[in-house]
Amino acid sequence: IADHDTVDGIEPAIEAGQKYDIEVIPAIELSTEINKKDVHMLGYLLDYTNKEFCEVIDKVQHSRIGRMHDMINKLKELGVDNISFEEVEKMAGTKSLGRPHLAHFLVEKGWVKNRQEAFHKYLAEGQPVCVPKFKISPFEGIELIAKAGGIPVLAHPKFSEIDEHIPALVEAGLGGLEVYYPNTPPELVRFYEGIVEKHGMVATGGSDAHGDNKRHTYIGRMNVPYELVEKLKEYHKTVASC
């Protein structure tokens, strides 16, 4: 379970996993930024109850709440005046509020035909309602995950487009790359497998499922061999013993 900037879903998932005999790996996907580029940093097998870690995540969540208020106010200035913060928060069921939640109501209330139009017209970078997220640097993200005993992994590097920074991130403690990702060409998979091998990291994979917002990356879309989980655990033991 690697939700954006929140660990609220981990304990319910672990409880459900115990009931249905499904292994749940605690994780998070942190929003970071370098040179004005969004970089998502995954943290696997971390202690999600770590005090310092939770304090930072709490700060990030409060910034998301403020950001949602700002975006709703911007919509009101444009005449979209029938979306309230309270209904967005209730529907989301989390403090980790984001643009997809707002896009849902823009569609539901008839302002746009679909979520893609909601982003294109209002919510995408450079559009009138977009408000930047509170972000830390990838290096700060690595440090935060490591202090919580987790393995920092660069999410979907093909989208981050920061390959030139990978050696410095490895030096800072980066432990892996999300190599196996939906709709990734084989040659790109081999390229990132090579980088993982070169730096002695671990390769991970996942669906990057975001519910209806990303219908082409639903849960189960990506088949990840359990061998990768075993390697992740072995790497975790090695790092923990250092």
Side-chain angles (χ1 to χ4, degrees), residues 10-24 48:
I10 294 176
E11 287 191 359
I14 289 175
E15 290 177 8
Q18 290 171 343
K19 181 178 180 180
Y20 295 103
D21 194 26
I22 297 174
E23 181 179 9
V24 175
Y48 56 93

Side-chain angles (χ1 to χ4, degrees), residues 177-239:
L177 301 179
E178 188 179 35
V179 173
Y180 308 106
Y181 189 85
N183 309 312
T184 302
E187 59 271 20
L188 201 55
V189 171
R190 289 192 294 270
F191 172 75
Y192 285 116
E193 284 176 334
I195 293 180
V196 164
E197 184 176 355
K198 176 182 177 181
H199 293 287
M201 296 188 289
V202 289
T204 70
S207 65
D208 199 24
H210 282 60
D212 290 340
N213 195 50
K214 284 188 176 181
R215 296 187 180 184
H216 62 289
T217 55
Y218 50 86
I219 292 175
R221 173 70 175 79
M222 190 72 221
N223 182 21
V224 180
Y226 193 76
E227 177 187 357
L228 294 184
V229 179
E230 293 173 334
K231 288 182 177 179
L232 188 71
K233 291 179 178 178
E234 283 300 316
Y235 186 92
H236 188 246
K237 288 180 182 177
T238 302
V239 173

Side-chain angles (χ1 to χ4, degrees), residues 90-107:
K90 183 178 180 180
M91 185 274 291
T94 175
K95 294 178 183 177
S96 191
L97 303 174
R99 290 177 294 175
H101 299 126
L102 198 51
H104 167 85
F105 283 99
L106 285 167
V107 176

Side-chain angles (χ1 to χ4, degrees), residues 70-89:
D70 291 342
M71 289 192 291
I72 290 172
N73 287 335
K74 284 178 175 287
L75 281 173
K76 288 179 180 177
E77 292 172 3
L78 296 173
V80 181
D81 57 0
N82 62 342
I83 298 176
S84 70
F85 174 83
E86 289 73 21
E87 63 185 340
V88 174
E89 183 181 42

Side-chain angles (χ1 to χ4, degrees), residues 124-152:
E125 296 287 340
Q127 297 307 313
V129 178
C130 183
V131 175
K133 286 186 286 188
F134 169 86
K135 292 172 185 172
I136 58 179
S137 76
F139 297 95
E140 291 172 316
I142 287 171
E143 182 180 11
L144 182 64
I145 292 165
K147 283 184 176 179
I151 303 173

